[in-house]
């Protein structure tokens, strides 16, 4: 798979918002291949997290959260990650100050439920799932839910949380972490 730039993520969010009534009536502009995203704007309620490598990883990434009609969609893209499956979780603190990412605390779990797979029985509100990373080090995951909010200050508000990419896949059963291993990426969700 060809390496994608972050502008693809931004363009996808623009198209999503335009299609859901959250954007303008004008079609979203398309970024030329390989061009930066300066000048592109997203209308509506959104937040982002820039993901930086931790625990010696060179991984980078971005998470974009957008809210339209009570539904929050997150798309997480990573680059320079080891090939394979990597768990992604929202964590309780927006703090990536430690080299191992542990300053982000444990999984975000305002409902005090068991860890599991999103949408199947019990799960934390921070259990995003596994990102499949290809041989070129690129991977992404998208999730849409009405269980989150953006910038409300309510218990289900994702703004201010940490987002962690783990070294291993989530087995969806081991409590409370899914046996996902070390933390190779960390970002803080910031309202835009």
């Amino acid at each position: 798979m060809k390496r994608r730039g972050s502008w693809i993520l931004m363009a996808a969010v623009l198209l999503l918002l335009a299609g859901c009534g959250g954007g303008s009536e004008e079609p979203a502009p398309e970024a030329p291949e390989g061009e930066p995203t300066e000048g592109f704007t997203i209308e509506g309620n959104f937040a982002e997290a820039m993901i930086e490598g931790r625990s010696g990883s060179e991984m980078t990434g971005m998470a974009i959260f957008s809210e339209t009609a009570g539904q929050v969609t997150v798309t997480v893209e990573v680059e320079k990650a080891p090939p394979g499956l990597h768990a992604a979780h929202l964590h309780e603190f927006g703090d990536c100050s430690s080299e191992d990412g542990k300053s982000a605390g444990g999984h975000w779990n305002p409902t005090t439920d068991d860890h599991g797979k999103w949408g199947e029985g019990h799960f934390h509100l921070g259990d995003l799932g596994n990102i499949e990373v290809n041989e070129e080090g690129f991977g992404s995951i998208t999730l849409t839910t009405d269980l989150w909010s953006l910038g409300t200050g309510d218990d289900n508000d994702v703004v201010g949380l940490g987002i962690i990419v783990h070294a291993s896949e989530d087995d969806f059963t081991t409590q409370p972490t899914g046996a996902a291993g070390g933390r190779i990426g960390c970002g803080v969700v910031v309202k835009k």
Side-chain angles (χ1 to χ4, degrees):
M1 180 189 297
K2 184 177 178 184
R3 181 182 168 271
R4 301 177 206 175
S6 294
W7 69 267
I8 291 176
L9 178 61
M10 297 299 285
V13 172
L14 284 169
L15 292 172
L16 174 70
L17 288 174
C20 295
S24 66
E25 296 292 323
E26 298 295 317
E30 292 185 28
E33 182 79 28
E35 292 294 316
T37 59
E38 283 85 0
F40 287 81
T41 59
I42 299 176
E43 295 181 18
N45 198 15
F46 80 101
E48 68 181 15
M50 301 304 294
I51 302 169
E52 298 178 348
R54 289 292 178 268
S55 303
S57 172
E58 294 182 9
M59 189 201 80
T60 62
M62 177 182 239
I64 297 288
F65 297 80
S66 61
E67 184 173 29
T68 304
Q71 296 280 323
V72 176
T73 297
V74 62
T75 298
V76 182
E77 282 189 354
V78 296
E79 296 178 343
K80 300 180 189 172
L85 292 174
H86 297 277
H89 301 121
L90 292 171
H91 281 244
E92 58 189 336
F93 307 125
D95 181 355
C96 293
S97 62
S98 65
E99 177 51 36
D100 61 5
K102 290 185 178 178
S103 54
H107 288 190
W108 178 55
N109 186 18
T111 58
T112 64
D113 208 340
D114 287 338
H115 174 74
K117 187 173 186 179
W118 187 275
E120 295 182 13
H122 297 279
F123 58 93
H124 298 159
L125 288 187
D127 291 340
L128 301 181
N130 290 317
I131 300 172
E132 185 171 355
V133 176
N134 66 19
E135 291 300 318
E136 289 78 35
F138 177 83
S140 66
I141 189 172
T142 299
L143 174 72
T144 299
T145 181
D146 62 357
L147 299 177
W148 298 340
S149 66
L150 292 181
T152 62
D154 294 337
D155 288 343
N156 69 341
D157 187 354
V158 299
V159 173
L161 299 177
I163 185 166
I164 295 288
V165 178
H166 290 270
S168 302
E169 69 181 283
D170 190 329
D171 68 9
F172 305 119
T173 56
T174 302
Q175 300 299 321
T177 64
R183 302 172 185 200
I184 62 171
C186 185
V188 178
V189 182
V190 178
K191 184 126 170 36
K192 292 296 183 177

